[in-house]
Amino acid sequence: QVQLVESGGGLVQTGGSLRLSCAASGSIFSSADAMAWYRQAPGKQRELVAAMTSRSSTNYADSVKGRFTISRDNAKNTVCLQMNSLKPEDTAVYYCNVDRTRSPGFNYWGQGTQVTVSS
């Protein structure tokens, strides 16, 4: 069973930076169709923050464009999210997701890491 483990969350002041990492227990990134970061704030639905396809095409939520950057390292089975110029509204639990829609498909989620931005 593949596991995704996020790290790098924490408490930061407005304007600060954090780098989240998601490590997979197996070699899945090279066969995935997409890797993504989602977040869920209290009382809100989980939302897509950033995604990267197998061809390295990226997509970002409008609210984080220009501030967040998604990257991956297939050799290390790691996907990262660099978050700069953080705002209080970025406070949420951040989740890593790896998905393959082609057969044999898979979809894995990490356990989440808390990011808190103080004003």
Side-chain angles (χ1 to χ4, degrees):
Q1 178 69 19
V2 172
Q3 288 187 323
L4 300 180
V5 179
E6 298 105 334
S7 61
L11 174 64
V12 65
Q13 291 185 334
T14 296
S17 298
L18 285 173
R19 184 176 179 84
L20 305 183
S21 294
C22 173
S25 60
S27 301
I28 61 171
F29 287 174
S30 60
S31 59
D33 291 324
M35 290 142 282
W37 287 93
Y38 289 75
R39 68 186 180 187
Q40 187 167 19
K44 295 187 177 181
Q45 291 188 332
R46 189 172 298 189
E47 64 174 354
L48 177 67
V49 175
M52 176 179 282
T53 70
S54 58
R55 297 189 178 186
S56 297
S57 174
T58 58
N59 181 46
Y60 296 92
D62 288 342
S63 59
V64 307
K65 282 181 180 177
R67 300 188 298 121
F68 291 11
T69 303
I70 187 172
S71 62
R72 69 178 183 186
D73 186 332
N74 287 347
K76 296 182 179 180
N77 292 313
T78 302
V79 59
C80 295
L81 184 68
Q82 178 66 42
M83 305 186 295
N84 299 327
S85 301
L86 283 161
K87 305 174 180 180
E89 50 264 44
D90 295 319
T91 296
V93 178
Y94 284 70
Y95 298 90
C96 173
N97 176 265
V98 180
D99 180 76
R100 177 182 168 96
T101 54
R102 296 167 291 160
S103 181
F106 55 75
N107 186 277
Y108 299 112
W109 289 90
Q111 83 289 351
T113 185
Q114 177 70 47
V115 171
T116 303
V117 184
S118 63
S119 57

